[in-house]
Amino acid sequence: MQKNEALEGVRRYFAEGQFEDQLRRRVAVKSDSQTPEHGGELTRYLVEELVPQLAALGFTHWIMENPAGAGPILVAHRHESQNVPTVLTYGHGDVVPGYDQQWREGLSPWNLTIEGDRWYGRGTADNKGQHTINLVALEQVIKSRNGRLGFNVKAIFETAEERGSPGLRQFCQENKELLSADLFIASDGPRLNASRPTIFLGSRGTALFSLEVVAREHGLHSGNWGGVMTNPAVVLSNALACLIDGKGRLACRELTPPPIAEEVREAIEELEVTKDSLGRSLDEDWGEPGLTFGERLFGWNTLEILALSAGNAQKPVNAIPPRAKAFCNFRFVVGTPWQDLAAILRRHLDAHGYSNVEVVVDRVTPATRLDVNNKWVTLSRDAISQVTPKKVALVPNLAGTVPNDIFADVLGLPTVWIPHSYPGCSQHAPNEHLLRSVAEEGLQMMTSLFWELGNVSA
Ligand SMILES: [Zn+2]
């Protein structure tokens, strides 16, 4: 019962082509959740791919209805003892549509195609490849420990993630007991970059809202009425400018987060985000002054104007437009009073004389971030460091948003995400691929982590 045996086992599994065969089969299941005709494939993926693998590992399972009527949800339990920790893991069996015609010559979304380090196919990166890596690692640890893991596992696989996970929050609220655990570990999304093993602990939140000024029903001639009638486009432009200035700095300071905590600042610094490290040159004079690029991206809030409309930009006429509307996106970190977003915007606009701007907050996903010094984070980082000499990137929260609050807040779990993809993977686009090198490293990392988790008693 040596850890080396498990690491060797997983290496052999990969070298002998078993991982490839498994992923090839999984990619061939057209479990596209955005195309109703493929609905049957969602269930087939769970029943024919995941259930047999989980059953062989000693899991009991339930295929349950999604309370929002979307694709089914698979829950599985593997119980060893009351005296060991329980890990909840997550994955999604659905993918985005294939867009078959748009793939490069010689590639197809539903056939795994290998070219050098790249393994092409829909779902290789998002998320079939990633959860397959984790299940294989689990399998090899169980084997090397003679059927014992040293911890309990619960797994939840949804099939509507690519539709925005409808029903998942309600499902978790209604099944708290069934999903109760000590720790959450899952893999989705990209690493910081291909070469840095990455752990992320949450994500920024996101809120979509609109600002609208409606002055009247019809446009008015700008010569006959200009100067004596309100122009909604002018009002809206100025209202936006009182929220965010021309250099991307939040002018509404109530929308800024509390100062960045020291440990978060240190973790961000370790990510080594520089002007040119993200694949495109960053704008030096944009965003919150006094912060590093990394702090602006991972530790601060940003307000983006996504779309603007007034008049007809394709065919401007000499008229004062009757209305103007802006769609905005607010990304925010933990500690921001997002629950009060509508009230803050209202107050700020009123104070600046823009009471005629209507604010509608549409959708909000809260921000999450596990404490970077949490014991499970330390354990995960140490376990990963045992199988790779590379410095682990500990991302306090993703700059983008994942509905991690379902696990962190609804289920109340410490959340540790270990992604096995990279930013260039073409997820959601033609030519999606998994990097062989990242997959092999991910298998070693997860095997090491699951082994070490088995050494912790509850
Ligand atoms: Zn996706």
Side-chain angles (χ1 to χ4, degrees), residues 212-218 231-233 309-311 320-325:
E212 189 172 23
V213 184
V214 181
R216 54 193 75 87
E217 192 126 343
H218 301 290
N231 183 323
S309 73
I320 299 168
R323 54 176 65 217
K325 189 168 187 177

Side-chain angles (χ1 to χ4, degrees), residues 92 126 161-162 427-428:
H92 64 92
D126 182 18
E161 198 269 349
E162 302 298 0
Q427 162 198 14
H428 295 191

Side-chain angles (χ1 to χ4, degrees), residues 398-414:
L398 289 182
T401 303
V402 291
N404 186 52
D405 65 298
I406 295 176
F407 309 111
D409 300 338
V410 175
L411 296 179
L413 299 176

Side-chain angles (χ1 to χ4, degrees), residues 15 63 126 137 150 225 231 236 252 255 269 283 295 314 323 347 421 446:
I63 291 184
D126 182 18
W225 302 99
N231 183 323
L236 182 67
C252 175
L255 293 181
E269 197 180 335
D283 292 328
E295 288 163 359
Q314 269 69 50
R323 54 176 65 217
R347 235 181 1 252
S421 181
M446 298 310 288

